Amino acid sequence: MSHSPHLHAALEAAEAAGQIIRKAYRGNFSVDYKSDASPVTEVDIAAENAIRSRLTARFPGYGFYGEETGRSAMDAEYLWLVDPIDGTKAFVRGYPVFSVQIALMHRGELVLGVSSAPCWNDGRGELAYAEKGQGAHVDGHTVKVSETSNLAKATLSTGNLARLAASPAWTRFGGLIPRLHRIRGYGDFLHYHFLASGKVDAVIESDVNILDIAALTVIVREAGGVFTDLRGGPIGLETTSVLAAVPGLHATLLETLSY
């Protein structure tokens, strides 16, 4: 399958970042902390620089919004959204639930996503990607969400839930749990890859930023899923929550969890 120039560049950039990350994983690196107490390592910065240099060389007129190197040309027609290590806490502690996230936004619409987990699967990694209208792929295979439409047969995975826990919807969430087949907390890239691949049926998070989810939004949607915030709104630069689900469950979950 041939890739568009955008996807080809994003995949190359993700692999360059992955090489840097794999060499440093479980090694010695410096760790600093941001004002919100989240860690950042020299590996985050090196990986983002590798991504940024490749993408800006190929597409010099595009904007760039990076977790570590900041924003430039945010009003450009095309905007790259990059988190070089989504899951830095996992990276620092030595477990492999972290990923390279690269997305492309065109006039406010997310149109491309690459999610690469370089150290997952005993170091073999896992690569998911999608472009608008071209389907979703995990490790070279086309993937689709499940056809689940019954809560009693559904698996829901959660991530960061602090805001939801502090809202009136928390009680409703508690009432939802016994109605489900099972609840899990895979988190980060993993539950979105599982959702796109038909292994779980819904994901909720109340505390994210757009760089965490931009690429995954495209991947889940292209796999046939519905991806909104917890109020049912569109995903954009200011999004902070997620309700992603198979089509047969999204409306039911939204009615229960919207806050």
Side-chain angles (χ1 to χ4, degrees):
M1 177 182 174
S2 61
H3 298 320
S4 72
H6 287 145
L7 182 56
H8 185 74
L11 290 169
E12 282 192 345
E15 175 55 27
Q19 290 179 13
I20 293 168
I21 293 165
R22 282 190 291 268
K23 288 177 182 177
Y25 183 50
R26 292 178 176 161
N28 294 316
F29 47 81
S30 63
V31 182
D32 293 317
Y33 289 87
K34 302 178 185 179
S35 58
D36 63 358
S38 60
V40 59
T41 73
E42 59 191 316
V43 187
D44 292 80
I45 296 167
E48 183 162 311
N49 283 334
I51 295 167
R52 186 167 194 155
S53 64
R54 284 163 174 78
L55 295 180
T56 55
R58 289 284 299 275
F59 304 101
Y62 289 18
F64 191 93
Y65 178 10
E67 176 73 14
E68 311 305 339
T69 62
R71 309 182 185 200
S72 63
M74 292 290 288
D75 58 350
E77 181 178 0
Y78 285 95
L79 175 68
W80 292 107
L81 305 170
V82 173
D83 191 339
I85 305 180
D86 178 44
T88 300
K89 293 176 183 177
F91 175 74
V92 168
R93 297 195 65 176
Y95 62 96
V97 188
F98 55 82
S99 61
V100 179
Q101 296 290 317
I102 302 175
L104 183 63
M105 181 176 275
H106 179 232
R107 295 179 177 173
E109 179 185 9
L110 290 164
V111 296
L112 175 152
V114 171
S115 173
S116 173
C119 300
W120 182 246
N121 284 335
D122 293 323
R124 295 188 299 274
E126 182 166 290
L127 175 66
Y129 61 86
E131 277 189 287
K132 183 183 177 183
Q134 300 299 312
H137 309 270
V138 176
D139 287 343
H141 302 285
T142 301
V143 292
K144 291 287 186 183
V145 299
S146 80
E147 296 181 359
T148 304
S149 59
N150 186 339
L151 281 176
K153 295 181 179 179
T155 297
L156 168 70
S157 182
T158 64
N160 298 317
L161 297 177
R163 288 193 183 113
L164 183 64
S167 78
W170 188 244
T171 300
R172 299 198 301 275
F173 176 65
L176 173 68
I177 291 174
R179 300 168 61 196
L180 297 163
H181 175 61
R182 63 173 55 183
I183 184 167
R184 292 291 184 264
Y186 294 114
D188 295 298
F189 80 90
L190 187 56
H191 52 193
Y192 296 105
H193 285 205
F194 281 174
L195 175 58
S197 301
K199 298 173 182 177
V200 305
D201 306 301
V203 172
I204 67 164
E205 301 199 70
S206 61
D207 299 78
V208 296
N209 70 60
I210 187 59
L211 302 181
D212 300 331
I213 59 167
L216 297 158
T217 299
V218 183
I219 292 164
V220 169
R221 286 174 174 170
E222 284 298 309
V226 182
F227 203 118
T228 68
D229 68 15
L230 272 170
R231 293 184 172 89
I235 303 301
L237 294 179
E238 305 305 318
T239 296
T240 59
S241 67
V242 170
L243 174 54
V246 299
L249 292 176
H250 187 273
T252 299
L253 293 170
L254 178 61
E255 182 179 1
T256 302
L257 296 171
S258 180
Y259 71 95

